[in-house]
Amino acid sequence: MTALAHGIGAQHDLPLSPFYAFAGAFTALFVSFLALGLLWSASRFRGDRAGRPVPAAVQRLADARPTRTALRVLGLAAGLFVVLHLLLGPDDPERNPAPGAVYVLLWVGLVPASLLFGPVWRLVNPLRTVHLVACRLLRRAPGRGRPLPTRLGLWPAAAGLLAFTWLELVAPDPASATTLLLFLALHTAVQLAGAARHGAAWFDHADAFEVYSVLLARLSPLGRRPADGRLVLRSPFNGLDATPQLPGLVATVCVMLGSTAYDGFSDSPSWITTVQTSPLGRTAAATLGLLAAVALVATLHALCAGAVRLISGRLRHPLTAFAHSLVPIALGYLVAHYFTLFVTEGPRTLMTAFGADDPVPPDPPLGPGGVATLQVLAIVLGHVLGVVAAHDRSVRLFPPGRAVAGQLPLLILMITYTVGGLSLLIV
């Protein structure tokens, strides 16, 4: 069950030449940057105003009350399934499907689900369902509550993501029933207390899994226009461009990036030795390592934002203005680190849930060379998409003479992240 807490395990012996990987990555970034500077002089993304409406029958099916009810029941049943298995099942992650359901089917599975279908956790979140049922029993509107402070933004979600990634990557026994039950109890108490005070809008800002799913869904071709509620097919760049610039957005994305980077670094022999021999103890040393990885990502982004502000001369909030360009980078890291885990441990978890005794996980669909290629392509493509998103935002915000120069700090940041991401995989 160590694999559940550390992605795909050791990655440093993958059969891929570091020279070709770095050369290809640098070429892709520089060519993208130059091509955009020469050929893309005006903003082309329209955010939530873009998209082609889906057929009316699809819209009716998606918005139908039976569909929404079925999704809520499914989410609530899955939540009860996990809790009951943690309470009554064996405290052996090889025979209990609950840890795999949390760390693989939920945490990793939200990535492809959100990319394909949009912010799915908002529809199946069992805590939303519990809050909705409680409100109906009390004859209270679900949205009723005290207004959320504007400065709150996504900060609660960022803290929740950091807590969950600490549980996954640092906690001494993350797959034990006691540990998971304690985390789920605390998460449930915080979310329901917040919803009782502020209404259902609390989940939009404070539920770590919802915010995680919503951010990833910004790159989904399926979206919803706020103006009229229509489901539309859109370019993922338009969804990304519509990311609200809320307080805590940068922190949330930095936790996504930093925790995934720490996951890749934590299985290196040198770090394992450092943690095991640290006078602080394993848990304290690993906690500091996780916090340092997140802080490093945030510091690099802050330095880049400061340089962008100096060049632009008038951009007031560069930290949040370009934070959306980090989302595809985080997605690339997630795919690179968790693809093999999902396609092997996911089926094994389902087989265990359906009663199989000690099932053998299927072989990965790709060999070592294919996995290495997929990982490098995911990281490089994520950075290229980030460059495109940042360029379109810069030509919108900067004067024409400074649009390209204003992106130079962003390009340096992308290169730095790329070097770090590839180094974790193949060096």
Side-chain angles (χ1 to χ4, degrees), residues 30 71 92 116-117 130 201 219 307 328 336 344:
F30 277 115
L71 290 172
D92 178 3
L116 290 174
F117 304 112
V130 171
L219 289 164
T344 56

Side-chain angles (χ1 to χ4, degrees), residues 76-86 97-98 101 352-354:
L76 187 60
L80 290 174
F81 173 88
V82 170
V83 171
L84 289 176
H85 273 78
L86 290 174
T352 305
F354 284 105

Side-chain angles (χ1 to χ4, degrees), residues 38-54:
L38 293 173
L39 304 175
W40 198 308
S41 58
S43 176
R44 303 184 184 186
F45 303 146
R46 296 185 293 126
D48 282 332
R49 296 171 297 164
R52 177 176 298 180
V54 302

Side-chain angles (χ1 to χ4, degrees), residues 19-48:
F19 172 79
Y20 289 115
F22 286 115
F26 292 155
T27 300
L29 288 174
F30 277 115
V31 169
S32 301
F33 177 76
L34 293 176
L36 291 169
L38 293 173
L39 304 175
W40 198 308
S41 58
S43 176
R44 303 184 184 186
F45 303 146
R46 296 185 293 126
D48 282 332

Side-chain angles (χ1 to χ4, degrees), residues 113-308:
S114 302
L115 289 176
L116 290 174
F117 304 112
V120 292
W121 190 246
R122 178 183 289 169
L123 301 175
V124 302
N125 186 350
L127 299 183
R128 269 193 186 269
T129 302
V130 171
H131 175 253
L132 177 63
V133 171
C135 288
R136 289 182 176 175
L137 291 175
L138 297 173
R139 297 182 179 180
R140 174 182 175 179
R144 180 183 172 187
R146 297 186 180 184
L148 287 163
T150 303
R151 64 181 180 277
L152 186 70
L154 301 180
W155 282 106
L161 277 177
L162 185 60
F164 180 78
T165 54
W166 181 91
L167 174 74
E168 179 196 15
L169 302 173
V170 175
D173 195 3
S176 75
T178 302
T179 301
L180 275 171
L181 279 171
L182 179 60
F183 171 81
L184 292 176
L186 291 173
H187 176 71
T188 299
V190 169
Q191 295 305 312
L192 293 182
R197 181 179 177 85
H198 297 288
W202 169 261
F203 297 108
D204 296 328
H205 296 260
D207 189 296
F209 301 108
E210 272 205 21
V211 172
Y212 176 70
S213 176
V214 167
L215 283 176
L216 293 172
R218 289 291 170 185
L219 289 164
S220 172
L222 186 65
R224 191 179 289 272
R225 286 197 305 231
D228 54 12
R230 289 299 304 270
L231 282 174
V232 295
L233 294 174
R234 66 189 182 186
S235 162
F237 284 115
N238 283 307
L240 192 62
D241 186 67
T243 304
Q245 297 180 34
L246 297 174
L249 172 62
V250 175
T252 303
V253 180
C254 287
V255 170
M256 292 169 62
L257 275 169
S259 61
T260 309
Y262 176 77
D263 185 11
F265 178 72
S266 64
D267 67 354
S268 66
S270 60
W271 180 249
I272 293 174
T273 301
T274 299
V275 168
Q276 291 177 343
T277 59
S278 171
L280 298 175
R282 177 203 169 278
T283 302
T287 300
L288 291 177
L290 174 61
L291 294 176
V294 175
L296 177 61
V297 171
T299 300
L300 291 174
H301 183 64
L303 291 174
C304 172
V308 168

Side-chain angles (χ1 to χ4, degrees), residues 33 35-45 241 308 312 314-315 321-322 324 387-407 410:
F33 177 76
L36 291 169
L38 293 173
L39 304 175
W40 198 308
S41 58
S43 176
R44 303 184 184 186
F45 303 146
D241 186 67
V308 168
S312 69
R314 66 179 185 181
L315 193 59
F322 292 94
H324 70 300
V387 168
V388 175
H391 176 83
D392 189 85
R393 182 64 57 86
S394 68
V395 297
R396 182 188 308 168
L397 297 178
F398 295 163
R402 297 184 179 181
V404 175
Q407 294 176 71
L410 294 166

